[in-house]
Amino acid sequence: MATTSQYVSTVKNGTLAQASTANTARDGTGTLATIHTAGATGARVDAIIFNAPGTVTAGMLRLFITIGANTRLLDEIPVVATTPSATVMAFRVNYIPTVPMVLEASAVLKFSTNNAETFNAIAIFAGDF
Protein backbone atom coordinates (compact mmCIF):
# COMPACT_ATOMS: atom_id res chain seq x y z
CA MET A 1 0.00 0.00 0.00
CA ALA A 2 1.35 3.39 -0.96
CA THR A 3 2.08 5.76 1.90
CA THR A 4 1.43 8.81 -0.27
CA SER A 5 -1.38 9.70 -2.65
CA GLN A 6 -1.15 8.20 -6.13
CA TYR A 7 -2.24 10.24 -9.14
CA VAL A 8 -2.34 9.36 -12.82
CA SER A 9 0.76 10.52 -14.65
CA THR A 10 -0.49 9.87 -18.20
CA VAL A 11 -4.04 10.98 -18.96
CA LYS A 12 -5.91 8.66 -21.31
CA ASN A 13 -9.32 10.31 -21.50
CA GLY A 14 -11.35 9.43 -24.54
CA THR A 15 -10.04 5.94 -25.28
CA LEU A 16 -12.68 4.59 -27.64
CA ALA A 17 -13.97 1.14 -28.53
CA GLN A 18 -16.80 -0.04 -30.76
CA ALA A 19 -18.66 -3.36 -30.68
CA SER A 20 -21.33 -4.60 -33.06
CA THR A 21 -21.01 -8.39 -33.04
CA ALA A 22 -23.59 -10.21 -30.92
CA ASN A 23 -22.04 -12.02 -27.96
CA THR A 24 -24.29 -13.66 -25.38
CA ALA A 25 -21.40 -15.21 -23.41
CA ARG A 26 -20.81 -14.11 -19.84
CA ASP A 27 -17.59 -16.09 -19.48
CA GLY A 28 -15.28 -13.74 -21.41
CA THR A 29 -15.30 -15.71 -24.66
CA GLY A 30 -16.51 -14.44 -28.02
CA THR A 31 -15.93 -11.04 -29.57
CA LEU A 32 -14.92 -8.33 -27.06
CA ALA A 33 -13.92 -4.73 -27.81
CA THR A 34 -11.02 -3.21 -25.85
CA ILE A 35 -11.92 0.01 -24.03
CA HIS A 36 -8.75 0.66 -22.03
CA THR A 37 -5.41 -1.07 -21.46
CA ALA A 38 -3.52 -0.20 -18.28
CA GLY A 39 0.10 0.83 -18.58
CA ALA A 40 3.11 -0.80 -16.94
CA THR A 41 2.29 0.70 -13.53
CA GLY A 42 -1.50 0.30 -13.60
CA ALA A 43 -4.37 2.63 -14.37
CA ARG A 44 -7.50 4.27 -13.02
CA VAL A 45 -10.82 4.59 -14.83
CA ASP A 46 -13.54 6.66 -13.16
CA ALA A 47 -16.29 6.39 -15.78
CA ILE A 48 -17.26 4.96 -19.17
CA ILE A 49 -19.84 6.39 -21.56
CA PHE A 50 -21.73 3.82 -23.62
CA ASN A 51 -23.78 5.04 -26.57
CA ALA A 52 -25.40 3.72 -29.72
CA PRO A 53 -25.39 5.76 -32.94
CA GLY A 54 -28.53 4.09 -34.26
CA THR A 55 -31.63 2.12 -33.35
CA VAL A 56 -31.19 -0.53 -30.65
CA THR A 57 -33.42 -3.23 -29.19
CA ALA A 58 -33.67 -4.24 -25.54
CA GLY A 59 -30.56 -6.14 -24.54
CA MET A 60 -27.41 -5.98 -22.46
CA LEU A 61 -23.90 -4.58 -22.58
CA ARG A 62 -21.27 -6.54 -20.65
CA LEU A 63 -18.12 -5.12 -19.11
CA PHE A 64 -15.13 -7.45 -18.66
CA ILE A 65 -11.64 -7.26 -17.23
CA THR A 66 -8.72 -9.29 -18.56
CA ILE A 67 -5.73 -9.92 -16.31
CA GLY A 68 -3.14 -12.16 -17.88
CA ALA A 69 -4.99 -15.00 -19.60
CA ASN A 70 -8.13 -14.64 -17.46
CA THR A 71 -11.16 -12.64 -18.59
CA ARG A 72 -13.97 -12.11 -16.10
CA LEU A 73 -17.37 -10.41 -16.15
CA LEU A 74 -17.37 -7.18 -14.12
CA ASP A 75 -20.87 -5.86 -14.72
CA GLU A 76 -23.89 -5.82 -17.01
CA ILE A 77 -25.56 -2.67 -18.28
CA PRO A 78 -29.16 -2.96 -19.52
CA VAL A 79 -29.99 -1.51 -22.94
CA VAL A 80 -33.39 0.08 -23.42
CA ALA A 81 -34.94 -0.19 -26.89
CA THR A 82 -34.45 3.19 -28.57
CA THR A 83 -35.13 4.60 -32.01
CA PRO A 84 -33.34 7.95 -32.23
CA SER A 85 -34.99 10.80 -34.09
CA ALA A 86 -35.19 14.58 -34.06
CA THR A 87 -37.03 14.35 -30.74
CA VAL A 88 -35.66 11.13 -29.23
CA MET A 89 -32.07 10.97 -28.02
CA ALA A 90 -29.98 7.94 -29.03
CA PHE A 91 -29.29 5.33 -26.33
CA ARG A 92 -26.63 6.51 -23.88
CA VAL A 93 -25.61 5.50 -20.38
CA ASN A 94 -22.89 6.88 -18.14
CA TYR A 95 -21.32 3.96 -16.29
CA ILE A 96 -19.90 5.29 -13.04
CA PRO A 97 -18.79 2.59 -10.60
CA THR A 98 -19.29 3.20 -6.88
CA VAL A 99 -15.52 3.52 -6.52
CA PRO A 100 -13.09 4.20 -9.38
CA MET A 101 -11.68 1.14 -11.13
CA VAL A 102 -8.01 0.76 -10.29
CA LEU A 103 -6.42 -1.66 -12.73
CA GLU A 104 -3.21 -3.54 -12.19
CA ALA A 105 -0.39 -3.32 -14.75
CA SER A 106 -1.46 -4.42 -18.25
CA ALA A 107 -5.06 -5.19 -17.22
CA VAL A 108 -7.57 -4.63 -20.01
CA LEU A 109 -11.17 -3.36 -19.81
CA LYS A 110 -13.38 -4.81 -22.56
CA PHE A 111 -17.05 -4.90 -23.46
CA SER A 112 -19.53 -6.75 -25.62
CA THR A 113 -23.10 -6.34 -26.81
CA ASN A 114 -25.72 -9.06 -26.48
CA ASN A 115 -27.41 -8.06 -29.76
CA ALA A 116 -25.81 -7.43 -33.15
CA GLU A 117 -26.09 -3.63 -32.87
CA THR A 118 -23.39 -0.96 -32.83
CA PHE A 119 -22.29 0.51 -29.51
CA ASN A 120 -19.43 2.84 -28.61
CA ALA A 121 -17.61 2.89 -25.28
CA ILE A 122 -15.50 5.86 -24.23
CA ALA A 123 -13.35 5.82 -21.09
CA ILE A 124 -13.45 9.21 -19.43
CA PHE A 125 -11.50 10.45 -16.42
CA ALA A 126 -8.91 7.75 -17.07
CA GLY A 127 -5.15 7.46 -17.00
CA ASP A 128 -2.06 5.41 -16.15
CA PHE A 129 -0.11 5.72 -12.91
Side-chain angles (χ1 to χ4, degrees), residues 58-112:
M60 197 69 66
L61 297 174
R62 295 186 180 89
L63 185 62
F64 295 88
I65 186 167
T66 299
I67 300 172
N70 301 308
T71 301
R72 300 290 182 257
L73 179 67
L74 277 180
D75 210 346
E76 293 184 301
I77 300 106
V79 174
V80 177
T82 308
T83 301
S85 68
T87 57
V88 177
M89 187 173 112
F91 172 83
R92 175 187 165 133
V93 64
N94 295 331
Y95 178 81
I96 303 171
T98 306
V99 295
M101 292 180 276
V102 177
L103 308 175
E104 68 179 61
S106 303
V108 184
L109 278 178
K110 300 178 180 183
F111 88 105
S112 67

